[in-house]
Amino acid sequence: MSDFLKIFSLLVVERVGRQLAPYLKSLAPSWHLSCSDPHLPASALASKALTSAFPDAIKKREAIIFCQQEILSSITENLLQHTPSTLSDAK
């Protein structure tokens, strides 16, 4: 996700709060992986959005467990199915 999308996701989380629940499984893989982005400002924004959505550590853990299949599927797909050319931006 670009920095712009991470800022947008933070704003969305802050505005919609619990109404995000029906979309959590589809958002979780990118969101969770963005927390480990090597670009520090990007990972900080993703982490801030996650903490904003789940300020309680136990709730955050439960959300990750709830979405673990989607998160692991995304990681598996990125590692085993994609190539550098399918993951990079066409320029």
Side-chain angles (χ1 to χ4, degrees), residues 16-77:
V16 301
R18 291 181 182 258
Q19 295 173 354
L20 186 68
Y23 311 101
L24 187 58
K25 283 191 172 192
S26 62
L27 296 172
S30 297
W31 197 4
H32 185 68
L33 293 174
S34 293
C35 290
S36 300
D37 194 306
H39 182 63
L40 293 180
S43 64
L45 286 169
S47 295
K48 185 175 179 182
L50 189 60
T51 301
S52 178
F54 302 101
D56 178 15
I58 293 171
K59 294 289 186 188
K60 186 186 308 182
R61 182 175 163 260
E62 289 172 352
I64 292 170
I65 290 169
F66 177 71
C67 299
Q68 73 182 355
Q69 182 60 47
E70 290 75 15
I71 294 168
L72 292 173
S73 291
S74 178
I75 292 169
T76 300
E77 185 177 311

